[in-house]
Amino acid sequence: MSETIHVDQFIAQPPAKVWRMLTEPDRLATWWAPGDIRPEVGHRFTLDMGRWGRQPCTVTEVEEDRLLSYTFGEGDVDWTITWRLVAEGAGTRLFLAHSGFDLDDPRHAMAFENMSGGWAKILPHLARRLEETPV
């Protein structure tokens, strides 16, 4: 059975600014991981996850300023990360769905446990970086 981590974070910045943090390599590296991401369906890229190595990814869905989805760890863990941005007042509600965890696989079960709490820490870090980053 496939499980999904769901996290949402309010960010007091407009969706276009949040979008840039998700889709521009230099900005993505300031709060999560270096990589050559580009918001273009079919774009293949890697994310450097430090001690976990470079993870191959492919962009699968793009709706500018609203939705970005990509595979993560292709050929190994085969997860999907989906970011959905919803304007909320003067800010953005950012929804994350990290899916594809097979809890019968011990590696997946451990990653699901660790990343459930990890994402809850990473998204507030993204919000703080946005406060510090010029448009």
Side-chain angles (χ1 to χ4, degrees):
M1 176 195 276
S2 180
E3 292 291 332
T4 301
I5 296 169
H6 294 279
V7 181
D8 75 84
Q9 174 75 42
F10 178 77
I11 300 174
Q13 300 291 328
K17 192 170 179 184
V18 177
W19 178 257
R20 291 181 69 194
M21 291 296 275
L22 297 173
T23 62
E24 294 180 10
D26 291 346
R27 293 175 190 260
L28 182 66
T30 67
W31 66 272
W32 187 35
D36 53 341
I37 193 166
R38 189 170 64 236
E40 177 182 298
V41 172
H43 174 63
R44 298 182 64 79
F45 66 101
T46 59
L47 290 172
D48 185 348
M49 303 309 296
R51 71 180 201 196
W52 294 283
R54 296 180 66 81
Q55 299 299 316
C57 305
T58 301
V59 176
T60 57
E61 292 181 79
V62 175
E63 293 178 35
E64 189 169 347
D65 295 342
R66 296 188 310 176
L67 178 75
L68 176 68
S69 187
Y70 47 86
T71 61
F72 180 92
E74 293 173 354
D76 184 22
V77 291
D78 293 317
W79 295 325
T80 299
I81 296 176
T82 301
W83 303 98
R84 189 166 50 91
L85 296 77
V86 177
E88 186 174 305
T92 304
R93 179 68 58 181
L94 179 62
F95 295 94
L96 163 71
H98 186 163
S99 62
F101 292 93
D102 174 4
L103 298 186
D104 292 330
D105 178 326
R107 286 187 324 142
H108 280 237
M110 182 179 76
F112 182 82
E113 181 69 27
N114 291 337
M115 296 172 95
S116 292
W119 278 121
K121 293 176 185 168
I122 292 169
L123 292 186
H125 179 62
L126 166 59
R128 285 189 302 276
R129 291 297 298 150
L130 271 162
E131 292 298 323
E132 302 165 357
T133 304
V135 177

